[in-house]
Amino acid sequence: MIAFRSSATLSRIEISPILALSRRASELRAAGRDVIDMTVGEPDASTVSAAQAAAHAAIDKGLTRYTALKGTDELITAIVAKTRRDLGLDFRSDEVIASNGAKQVIYNALAASLDPGDEVVLPQPCWTSYADMVRLAGGVPVPAAGIWDARRGWRLDADAVAAAVTPRTRWLLINSPSNPTGAVSTRIELGTLASVLDANPHVWVLSDDIYEHIVFDGASAAHILDVAPDLRARTLCVNGVSKAYAMTGWRLGWGVGPPELIRAMTAVQSQISSAPCSISQAAAVGALQGPHGEVTRMRSDFERRRNALAEHLRALDGVEAPSPEGAFYFFPSVKGLIGRCTPDGERLSDDVALCAHLLQVADVAVVPGSAFGAPGWLRMSFALSDAELMKAADRLTKAFSALLPTPRDDLAD
Ligand code: PLP
């Protein structure tokens, strides 16, 4: 028998390190440990009730067959109306595709457009999956460093983006509010970025707007097409129901963009998955057309938890924790803790070692920043109940405070 051999393409990608960590936390829990999982990228609330009701109704009506490849007319109409409401832009139905989550929308776009060696610029830090999706589609991810500001957190650096663009660049991928940093790009930042795009008309924009409804302090997220409407002919807006409506398991996302791109993405989708689940599509229509009360409540829950966690993190020596402006992640710098020793004398040489230590001694799972291209930072989800979050904060405080300065002898090497 010839042993299984994975493709050269697959050997260039990893199983998401976040999923791997979350799995480790679940294993420890199954073994009886009281682990608090702060790696999660999903709201802790129930799916909004309008979506649940619409799904039940769809089952009752027998809407259980294949649908149109790009999604039902009802869903496409609901997405067009939502885009008009939130972005103030009118799109036609041939400019919309629904897929199995925003993740598949992004992959479809990359697979439909990249030739081997084509480049995609990724402002850092960014969601782990982007780079691997680019590789899987045959492209080359090109990181563009961000700017760290201890008060405001990570910011987009348009100069770094300009420096990363080459004649092979096909896409610039932006994400605001950001996973992992929680940063919400300002109109000024997006305007500066738009100037870089003006100077590089061959570069298309993929705007991942999945956290658009989770923005704090009464603000709302600016959008690149609001700031630079002329980019519409080369911009794909990606969105979905996962985060805003607590529907991660329903797997329903969409892309809105130029018709020739949507046609190409539809061709990819036709051969790998066909249309998304008919019941999920109906549920998404319910969510998009339903009242927004639960979404608003979820956002204020996240904001309260953000504020509570901020107080704890700010009090910690060696930690810089600017408050996220959106999404549900803190992304503190723990550079001040790297190199310190555990009470057992182990030197924590990087953020990965620090995360392993926190899981071991504090039963708290967090993601190392290096998974997002930012070694020395940590990502902590605050999509947990208030009680769990405070328990996690106490445990983190205890574990961080117990770390000792590196003995002088160890500093020599
Ligand atoms: N984009 C970002 C930035 C995300 O964080 C996630 C999920 O964690 C997704 C897209 C995927 O969303 P979906 O569940 O719609 O595939």
Side-chain angles (χ1 to χ4, degrees):
M1 192 192 86
I2 298 173
F4 170 74
R5 184 169 48 83
S6 62
S7 66
T9 304
L10 195 72
S11 67
R12 289 195 291 271
I13 73 155
E14 302 176 7
I15 296 286
S16 159
I18 306 173
L19 294 184
L21 263 162
S22 184
R23 199 160 42 229
R24 177 80 189 121
S26 307
E27 283 166 7
L28 288 174
R29 246 197 224 133
R33 294 254 299 263
D34 173 28
V35 173
I36 302 178
D37 188 358
M38 300 182 88
T39 67
V40 288
E42 58 185 348
D44 57 318
S46 304
T47 289
V48 296
S49 34
Q52 296 192 36
H56 283 294
I59 293 173
D60 292 342
K61 278 191 250 164
L63 299 179
T64 54
R65 302 193 181 274
Y66 291 134
T67 72
L69 192 48
K70 282 172 356 106
T72 60
D73 287 347
E74 292 77 13
L75 179 58
I76 300 295
T77 304
I79 293 167
V80 166
K82 174 255 177 284
T83 311
R84 186 183 307 120
R85 180 189 70 208
D86 294 338
L87 262 185
L89 292 174
D90 274 312
F91 283 88
R92 296 188 314 263
S93 60
D94 64 343
E95 296 173 296
V96 183
I97 181 173
S99 306
N100 294 283
K103 204 169 192 174
Q104 193 192 5
V105 180
I106 299 169
Y107 183 73
N108 283 349
L110 297 171
S113 58
L114 296 182
D115 283 319
D118 281 350
E119 296 171 1
V120 178
V121 174
L122 303 176
Q124 303 289 301
C126 69
W127 186 37
T128 45
S129 290
Y130 293 149
D132 279 335
M133 283 199 269
V134 170
R135 291 188 189 102
L136 208 46
V140 179
V142 179
I147 300 172
W148 169 250
D149 174 335
R151 196 175 53 81
R152 296 180 60 219
W154 285 96
R155 312 307 310 175
L156 267 177
D157 182 1
D159 289 341
V161 169
V165 170
T166 74
R168 295 294 312 258
T169 307
R170 297 294 306 277
W171 292 94
L172 166 68
L173 207 164
I174 54 177
N175 172 223
S176 166
S178 154
N179 172 11
T181 69
V184 177
S185 301
T186 63
R187 291 184 67 84
I188 293 175
E189 287 167 339
L190 292 173
T192 316
L193 202 59
S195 313
V196 174
L197 290 159
D198 280 348
N200 293 282
H202 63 294
V203 178
W204 282 48
V205 185
L206 193 158
S207 178
D208 179 348
D209 308 330
I210 194 87
Y211 293 96
E212 86 182 313
H213 290 300
I214 310 175
V215 179
F216 306 130
D217 306 313
S220 56
H223 196 277
I224 188 86
L225 286 187
D226 192 26
V227 174
D230 51 315
L231 288 173
R232 176 169 168 170
R234 50 178 165 131
T235 296
L236 176 69
C237 303
V238 176
N239 215 321
V241 291
S242 283
K243 316 289 177 172
Y245 304 100
M247 292 178 69
T248 47
W250 298 76
R251 311 309 306 129
L252 203 290
W254 59 84
V256 176
E260 63 279 19
L261 169 64
I262 300 295
R263 259 196 310 280
M265 290 165 65
T266 309
V268 173
Q269 180 152 304
S270 74
Q271 297 305 353
I272 60 169
S273 64
S274 297
C277 163
S278 58
I279 306 300
S280 297
Q281 292 189 56
V285 174
L288 290 172
Q289 294 179 342
H292 251 213
E294 286 158 279
V295 177
T296 310
R297 199 165 329 123
M298 240 187 290
R299 183 175 50 226
S300 61
D301 285 347
F302 288 140
E303 185 162 338
R304 186 182 64 249
R305 294 168 191 171
R306 175 200 68 162
N307 295 345
L309 188 56
E311 277 192 29
H312 282 76
L313 294 178
R314 297 244 174 78
L316 294 174
D317 174 43
V319 176
E320 286 178 337
S323 273
E325 297 154 333
F328 38 68
Y329 310 101
F330 254 94
F331 200 65
S333 163
V334 289
K335 282 186 153 181
L337 299 175
I338 304 298
R340 290 194 189 178
C341 284
T342 69
D344 293 341
E346 184 205 349
R347 184 166 178 272
L348 299 174
S349 55
D350 56 24
D351 54 333
V352 178
L354 180 58
C355 288
H357 175 68
L358 291 175
L359 190 54
Q360 188 58 36
V361 304
D363 281 334
V364 176
V366 298
V367 189
S370 41
F372 308 96
W377 275 256
L378 299 180
R379 193 192 76 170
M380 303 173 172
S381 166
F382 48 91
L384 305 175
S385 72
D386 296 69
E388 283 269 285
L389 193 65
M390 285 307 97
K391 196 152 92 176
D394 285 340
R395 289 182 187 182
L396 289 171
T397 302
K398 237 179 247 144
F400 284 170
S401 311
L403 296 177
L404 306 164
T406 310
R408 292 214 63 76
D409 292 355
D410 287 7
L411 290 175
D413 47 320

